[in-house]
Amino acid sequence: MTHKQANALKILTTIISLVACGPVSNTDDASSSIEASSQTADLTRCRKDANQPAGCAYGDYCLQTAGWCLDVPSPTCSNFAIHGTNWDPSTSTGPVIYEATAVSFAVDDAFCPEPGMLRAKFQIKAYAPEGDLPTSRDGFYNRFHGVTQAGVAYNATAIQNIVTTNNARNIAFNVSLCLPGETTSYTAGFFFAEGNEICVTAP
């Protein structure tokens, strides 16, 4: 958990405690209220209905359910422990992946090259301050990469449902992998060149 996420959790816990206990009636409750105010001051508000990063700094994203800026997820999977990471929010300028989710994990004989193979499909969402995100599959070549569980990087080319908005500053798309039929779970790593690394597990 990042420092910002920890702060947000503490704030939420304090608010729940105050609501459950009623009005502040002693020194301990008053101290909790002051502490919550202090923690809130450390976080940055964002525009919940705006395009990502919605007023947050590069390398952050807007937690739109709460309206706070948080660090993008860290790549904690073994994929990047082996491969390594290069992204530094203080010096990098590439696209920032702020969300990666598993969409499906099932046998797909129509999509995969061999019968009985599993198709793991993920959705990726990213933003780019430079406004240069790809609008077609060809634009991903040598720019968007996957990383296997063995730490090997490759060009991720099985890309579909590309939606680029906000003058090519925001993107959502699906990327698929074909896996042996006996696979029960798979963690994939993804990154844009000069951008951050992210992990996602299916199912």
Side-chain angles (χ1 to χ4, degrees):
M1 181 179 293
T2 66
H3 176 68
K4 291 180 182 177
Q5 288 171 323
N7 280 344
L9 181 59
K10 287 180 182 178
I11 292 166
L12 181 59
T13 302
T14 301
I15 291 171
I16 290 171
S17 298
L18 290 175
V19 170
C21 297
V24 174
S25 59
N26 59 46
T27 304
D28 290 340
D29 287 342
S31 298
S32 296
S33 180
I34 293 170
E35 181 183 355
S37 298
S38 174
Q39 291 167 348
T40 301
D42 292 339
L43 297 174
T44 302
R45 298 291 298 182
C46 55
R47 300 187 297 274
K48 294 193 285 186
D49 58 349
N51 294 306
Q52 293 286 1
C56 301
Y58 175 81
D60 290 353
Y61 75 105
C62 180
L63 181 63
Q64 293 178 317
T65 55
W68 296 110
C69 295
L70 297 178
D71 297 333
V72 294
S74 298
T76 56
C77 55
S78 62
N79 310 46
F80 290 108
I82 300 169
H83 176 271
T85 58
N86 295 309
W87 184 68
D88 181 344
S90 66
T91 57
S92 300
T93 58
V96 175
I97 300 171
Y98 62 89
E99 184 178 311
T101 55
V103 176
S104 60
F105 188 74
V107 172
D108 192 335
D109 291 340
F111 181 85
C112 293
E114 297 179 13
M117 294 191 78
L118 287 167
R119 177 186 183 184
K121 182 163 68 173
F122 305 96
Q123 184 181 64
I124 306 294
K125 294 182 180 180
Y127 67 80
E130 299 297 319
D132 60 348
L133 288 164
T135 57
S136 67
R137 191 172 66 176
D138 290 345
F140 286 82
Y141 187 74
N142 278 342
R143 190 165 182 214
F144 179 68
H145 305 276
V147 176
T148 69
Q149 292 182 148
V152 179
Y154 59 91
N155 270 302
T157 56
I159 294 169
Q160 298 173 316
N161 303 325
I162 303 162
V163 179
T164 306
T165 57
N166 191 26
N167 295 317
R169 290 183 174 86
N170 295 92
I171 195 169
F173 60 93
N174 292 339
V175 57
S176 296
L177 304 174
C178 286
L179 305 167
E182 65 272 16
T183 306
T184 57
S185 179
Y186 188 84
T187 297
F190 297 108
F191 69 95
F192 277 98
E194 302 299 322
N196 67 314
E197 300 88 0
I198 199 165
C199 306
V200 57
T201 300

